């Protein structure tokens, strides 16, 4: 308890005062535990604290503490069938309280219990999906329209592909090196009323085939470690080096698929600069015929996980 008080920068004497149900006044021997160590307060192993400081800089402490908080439960209103306001009203009628999330116009944060959401009729009817607000936000500003040829190159379970198809009314091609990860996409797309074409892992794409290619690359997941807290205790500098090498390879493999005047959107759920801005800077140095149109990062907050996206185009 004393460690929790100190790590929160609270005053011990005000809380340990014996008033009402408060703990009794601290005895001399109880105050001798000293200050809470940095790794104790940050709830991270020492080597990861050093890595976080290098990668995140001045916000390292805030991001470390954010990783110790509970992640929000966020819904994405399916724009193919409804909008955020109407969905909020429907859920409220059944006692499911939500609030508009400021990160994206489709995002609703669940207030209170999130039990039974996937059994709710609104979910079964395809009116919403579970998706972090940051994940929703990074696809909300893509240069896509109904007739845009879109490829989600590292589609995984298909959350971003579904969000793109619903927002822009376009057909999205989904690809992943691990084909099994996409097994639920057809069922999810049917429920959502969107068009997703699932491509085999060895599908022969043509150079310049797509107007927009989204690369949601494999990454540390550091922006979402609070959803899998054991991950931060298993991660190492060596893991980061391996991942950045994979990201480089994916960029080199996928950029050729972008049509002239098309967009390559590189995204991670990471807060590490090595996976984000530094990875993009290295690509642009290798490929001087490309330029960055825009980039945005989202830190870990009460509203959403940490994400990064950069939009690239041939110059």
């Amino acid at each position: 308890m004393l460690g929790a008080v100190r790590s929160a920068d609270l005053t011990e004497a005000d809380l340990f005062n014996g008033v009402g149900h408060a703990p009794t006044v601290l005895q001399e021997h109880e105050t001798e535990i000293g200050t809470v160590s940095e790794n104790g307060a940050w709830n991270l192993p020492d080597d990861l604290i050093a890595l976080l400081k290098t990668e995140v800089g001045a916000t390292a402490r805030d991001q470390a503490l954010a990783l110790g908080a509970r992640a929000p439960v966020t819904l994405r209103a399916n724009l193919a069938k409804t909008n955020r306001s109407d969905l909020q009203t429907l859920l409220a009628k059944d006692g499911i309280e939500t609030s508009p999330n400021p990160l994206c116009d489709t995002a609703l944060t669940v207030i209170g219990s999130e039990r039974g959401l996937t059994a709710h009729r609104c979910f079964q009817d395809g009116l919403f999906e579970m998706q972090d607000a940051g994940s929703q936000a990074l696809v909300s500003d893509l240069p896509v329209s109904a007739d845009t040829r879109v490829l989600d190159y590292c589609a995984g379970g298909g959350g971003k592909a579904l969000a793109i198809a619903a927002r822009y009314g376009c057909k999205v091609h989904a690809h992943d090196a691990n084909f099994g990860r996409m097994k639920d996409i057809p069922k999810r797309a049917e429920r959502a009323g969107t068009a997703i074409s699932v491509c085999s892992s060895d599908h022969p794409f043509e150079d310049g085939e797509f107007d927009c290619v989204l690369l949601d690359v494999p990454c540390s997941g550091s922006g979402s470690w609070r959803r899998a807290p054991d991950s931060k205790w298993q991660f190492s500098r060596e893991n980061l080096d391996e991942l950045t090498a994979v990201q480089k390879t994916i960029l080199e493999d996928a950029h050729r698929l972008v049509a002239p005047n098309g967009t390559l959107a590189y995204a991670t759920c990471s807060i590490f600069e090595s996976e984000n801005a530094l990875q993009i800077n290295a690509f642009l140095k290798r490929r001087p015929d490309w330029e960055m149109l825009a980039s945005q990062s989202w830190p870990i907050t009460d509203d959403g996980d940490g994400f990064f996206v950069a939009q690239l185009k041939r110059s």
Side-chain angles (χ1 to χ4, degrees):
M1 288 296 297
L2 184 56
V5 168
R6 288 178 174 173
S7 67
D9 295 328
L10 299 175
T11 303
E12 300 162 11
D14 290 340
L15 297 179
F16 291 81
N17 57 22
V19 177
H21 297 290
T24 57
V25 176
L26 294 174
Q27 304 300 307
E28 183 176 353
H29 70 278
E30 293 178 306
T31 65
E32 293 174 354
I33 66 168
T35 59
V36 179
S37 65
E38 187 172 61
N39 64 327
W42 288 25
N43 195 24
L44 292 172
D46 290 340
D47 55 348
L48 193 55
I49 287 179
L51 180 61
L52 194 67
K53 288 180 176 179
T54 299
E55 293 287 336
V56 181
T59 63
R61 180 180 183 275
D62 291 340
Q63 293 298 273
L65 296 181
L67 287 171
R70 187 180 182 186
V73 175
T74 313
L75 313 180
R76 175 179 57 80
N78 176 17
L79 295 182
K81 292 188 172 183
T82 188
N83 58 59
R84 180 168 70 176
S85 178
D86 289 348
L87 176 62
Q88 184 178 26
T89 300
L90 286 172
L91 293 173
K93 288 180 179 179
D94 290 333
I96 300 175
E97 187 179 358
T98 60
S99 63
N101 188 297
L103 297 186
C104 189
D105 61 358
T106 52
L108 284 172
T109 300
V110 178
I111 301 172
S113 175
E114 64 275 10
R115 292 180 180 177
L117 283 172
T118 56
H120 193 274
R121 58 188 175 87
C122 286
F123 178 82
Q124 298 297 328
D125 291 341
L127 300 188
F128 73 84
E129 286 270 354
M130 314 284 282
Q131 188 174 19
D132 183 79
S135 180
Q136 298 180 47
L138 73 83
V139 303
S140 66
D141 194 34
L142 294 176
V144 173
S145 61
D147 59 351
T148 302
R149 298 168 298 170
V150 180
L151 171 64
D152 186 353
Y153 189 74
C154 307
K160 294 179 182 65
L162 288 162
I164 292 171
R167 176 175 289 275
Y168 302 106
C170 60
K171 180 178 181 179
V172 177
H173 297 264
H175 165 274
D176 198 278
N178 183 348
F179 186 78
R181 295 184 65 197
M182 302 188 292
K183 62 183 176 63
D184 292 333
I185 292 180
K187 179 176 64 178
R188 295 175 70 186
E190 182 180 5
R191 184 173 63 235
T194 54
I196 309 288
S197 174
V198 177
C199 305
S200 64
S201 56
D202 58 352
H203 184 88
F205 294 119
E206 299 290 334
D207 289 0
E209 186 174 347
F210 298 97
D211 303 307
C212 181
V213 176
L214 172 63
L215 302 181
D216 182 15
V217 296
C219 69
S220 65
S222 53
S224 58
W225 275 346
R226 58 187 173 181
R227 299 183 187 274
D230 60 313
S231 299
K232 63 186 182 182
W233 295 96
Q234 300 173 5
F235 195 78
S236 67
R237 175 81 235 187
E238 291 72 24
N239 296 143
L240 183 59
D241 292 340
E242 292 169 0
L243 285 165
T244 53
V246 170
Q247 293 157 7
K248 176 183 176 181
T249 298
I250 292 174
L251 274 164
E252 290 301 315
D253 289 345
H255 81 276
R256 65 177 181 81
L257 306 179
V258 182
N261 298 316
T263 301
L264 180 67
Y266 172 92
T268 73
C269 55
S270 172
I271 57 174
F272 291 158
E273 284 294 283
S274 292
E275 300 181 277
N276 298 338
L278 296 182
Q279 185 72 265
I280 294 302
N281 291 342
F283 173 78
L284 295 176
K285 187 174 182 178
R286 295 191 305 271
R287 301 286 176 180
D289 55 328
W290 284 77
E291 62 182 342
M292 184 163 63
L293 297 177
S295 69
Q296 187 171 356
S297 59
W298 292 265
I300 306 165
T301 67
D302 292 340
D303 295 316
D305 292 344
F307 282 90
F308 171 85
V309 64
Q311 295 183 22
L312 310 175
K313 185 177 183 179
R314 283 191 178 88
S315 57

